Amino acid sequence: MNVYEELGLKRVINASGKMTALGASVIDAGVADYMVRASMDYVNIEALMEKAGEVISKYTGAQDACVTAGAAAGIAIAVAACIAKDDIDAIERLPVSKGLRNEIIIQKGHSIDFGAPVVQMIRLGGGVPVEVGHTNKAAPLHIERAVNEKTAALIYVKSHHTVQKGMVSVEKMVNIAKKYDLPLIVDAAAEGDLKKYLAAGADLVIYSGGKAIEGPTSGFIAGRRNLIGYCRLQYRGIGRAMKVGKENIAGLLKAVELYGSRDNREEALRQKEEMEWLKVEVDKIDGLEAEVVQDEAGREIYRVHIRVDSGFLGVDAKHIIDELERGDPAVYTRNHYANMGIIGIDPRPLKEGEERVILNRLRSIVEDIKRRNT
């Protein structure tokens, strides 16, 4: 019995992904032990933050890094840093930024809700979001025409939630940022490549510590030394409400270390094999048809998409999703395409043998439906 079952909550099988709503990631035992040890002593937090920046930079290739409470906090702090810089008066009055260069240009197709609106995180940092282009189409000209004397930064959001075609690429965003001498912020919260966007020329790149890296609730901003210095200064202002504890900083550092030494390609191929097995087995269930698909944002993540034949079963995908969640253990699936009759299974959060539990639950649910239909 796990801690949450002891509290009277149902056990959860997470087939949805590294979702905040389900607790993001399960941390490694080595990370947990490191956090416990870190929690039992005192440390100068400012010195720890600086040392953390040093350590993270070894794995990102950045000049420096700033630990945050998560990727959402990272957006707010990065925006605040671009607006207030090292002006303590400005730092202490954010998010009120009247009279400062405070406009943050974002493509309309990147203005997403990831559980909260990206533009709200921008506003928390004192930014005024300027959405450019159209939901399904943006061009460099849209961005350049929005640049003016009040522009503080550009932001690029890399996420499966964003529109995946018709947007200005990160490479072109880098060129525009350099042309107008503006910082480019990249929100790469769930991305697994810790070097790609910095190597492409981004100035500040934000990662979640609890997603691909499989650390505790945390995040970090990696980038140019002067801008990272400004980021740390925001802890004298809005960052105070987003502070991260010593044990989470330590856990993040251990998780980054383990992540940097792991063969992620081999793990992705193993997960793909699991999903190929699951696809074959699901196809044997009347009324369900499965396929293995790669992640929408191009990451090396392979999921099973299960299409529900509502004409044959007499129920839609939402019915089966509800039945999976009502059970014990509760099975949470990836439901971005549920309105199209598709249930997604993400292998990354699954513990050993849980794919078989999901398969058996699907068989049981479909059998119950068939019995009711006869």
Side-chain angles (χ1 to χ4, degrees):
M1 181 178 289
N2 68 35
V3 167
Y4 307 110
E5 289 175 290
E6 290 174 8
L7 289 170
L9 300 172
K10 282 195 293 189
R11 176 188 159 207
V12 165
I13 292 178
N14 178 7
S16 178
K18 296 181 180 182
M19 302 298 196
T20 300
L22 295 176
S25 294
V26 173
I27 63 174
D28 183 272
V31 173
D33 178 64
Y34 204 67
M35 291 178 70
V36 171
R37 288 168 53 206
S39 71
M40 298 172 74
D41 282 299
Y42 297 104
V43 67
N44 181 301
I45 293 293
E46 191 171 327
L48 176 60
M49 290 282 281
E50 290 181 3
K51 176 56 70 172
E54 262 180 58
V55 174
I56 292 168
S57 294
K58 293 176 185 176
Y59 296 94
T60 62
Q63 293 177 0
D64 202 352
C66 175
V67 177
T68 65
I75 296 171
I77 288 171
V79 167
C82 292
I83 293 169
K85 300 184 172 65
D86 59 357
D87 181 341
I88 190 62
D89 292 329
I91 289 169
E92 290 180 347
R93 67 182 169 96
L94 290 183
V96 177
S97 59
K98 186 177 179 180
L100 301 174
R101 292 178 64 174
N102 60 2
E103 292 186 358
I104 309 295
I105 297 173
I106 181 171
Q107 299 179 73
K108 194 176 288 291
H110 285 190
S111 183
I112 58 168
D113 186 307
F114 59 91
V118 163
V119 292
Q120 187 173 36
M121 301 307 109
I122 291 171
R123 291 189 185 101
L124 283 173
V128 175
V130 178
E131 296 183 14
V132 300
H134 307 280
T135 303
N136 64 337
K137 181 69 176 175
L141 188 59
H142 287 121
I143 295 164
E144 292 197 50
R145 284 178 65 90
V147 173
N148 60 54
E149 68 281 356
K150 295 200 70 178
T151 306
L154 313 180
I155 188 166
Y156 181 94
V157 180
K158 180 63 178 176
S159 168
H160 66 276
H161 292 297
T162 61
V163 175
Q164 297 300 316
K165 59 182 181 179
M167 296 294 105
V168 178
S169 68
V170 71
E171 292 80 10
K172 289 179 180 176
M173 291 284 281
V174 166
N175 292 338
I176 295 167
K178 291 187 183 308
K179 179 178 177 180
Y180 292 96
D181 194 23
L182 292 166
L184 172 64
I185 301 167
V186 174
D187 171 17
E191 291 297 291
D193 191 327
L194 303 185
K195 295 183 176 180
K196 177 179 177 179
Y197 299 103
L198 290 163
D203 299 288
L204 292 171
V205 185
I206 301 156
Y207 291 93
S208 169
K211 297 290 176 68
I213 297 166
E214 298 184 345
T217 300
S218 58
F220 63 87
I221 310 164
R224 280 172 30 201
R225 184 169 286 107
N226 67 322
L227 290 175
I228 293 298
Y230 299 155
C231 287
R232 281 201 281 265
L233 282 172
Q234 305 313 309
Y235 281 101
R236 301 185 187 186
I238 63 158
R240 182 70 178 183
M242 309 169 191
K243 63 185 179 183
V244 54
K246 60 185 185 296
E247 57 282 342
N248 279 39
I249 297 173
L252 173 63
L253 297 185
K254 178 56 72 172
V256 169
E257 176 193 324
L258 293 175
Y259 184 76
S261 63
R262 195 161 66 220
D263 187 341
N264 295 306
R265 167 72 176 164
E266 183 178 320
E267 180 68 5
L269 292 176
R270 183 192 66 76
Q271 291 171 356
K272 185 179 181 183
E273 287 179 6
E274 279 184 6
M275 293 298 96
E276 286 171 343
W277 172 85
L278 184 60
K279 175 244 182 303
V280 170
E281 296 303 313
V282 169
D283 278 342
K284 296 175 184 177
I285 302 174
D286 293 339
L288 302 182
E289 182 181 356
E291 64 173 334
V292 177
V293 299
Q294 189 172 357
D295 175 64
E296 305 95 319
R299 294 172 293 175
E300 197 154 15
I301 302 167
Y302 298 91
R303 304 183 179 97
V304 165
H305 276 188
I306 301 168
R307 187 174 292 278
V308 177
D309 186 341
S310 57
F312 178 82
L313 292 175
V315 300
D316 59 11
K318 183 67 167 58
H319 174 88
I320 292 177
I321 289 165
D322 289 344
E323 289 297 307
L324 288 168
E325 292 182 6
R326 269 196 286 266
D328 191 359
V331 177
Y332 286 86
T333 50
R334 195 174 183 87
N335 303 325
H336 302 312
Y337 301 112
N339 64 314
M340 298 166 63
I342 295 171
I343 302 169
I345 305 293
D346 191 314
R348 296 172 299 159
L350 294 179
K351 296 180 180 178
E352 186 176 353
E354 288 185 337
E355 68 282 356
R356 294 179 183 275
V357 176
I358 294 168
L359 177 65
N360 289 334
R361 288 286 294 282
L362 287 169
R363 285 172 176 158
S364 176
I365 290 166
V366 169
E367 286 303 313
D368 285 346
I369 291 167
K370 287 163 67 178
R371 275 195 294 272
R372 288 200 300 269
N373 288 345
T374 57

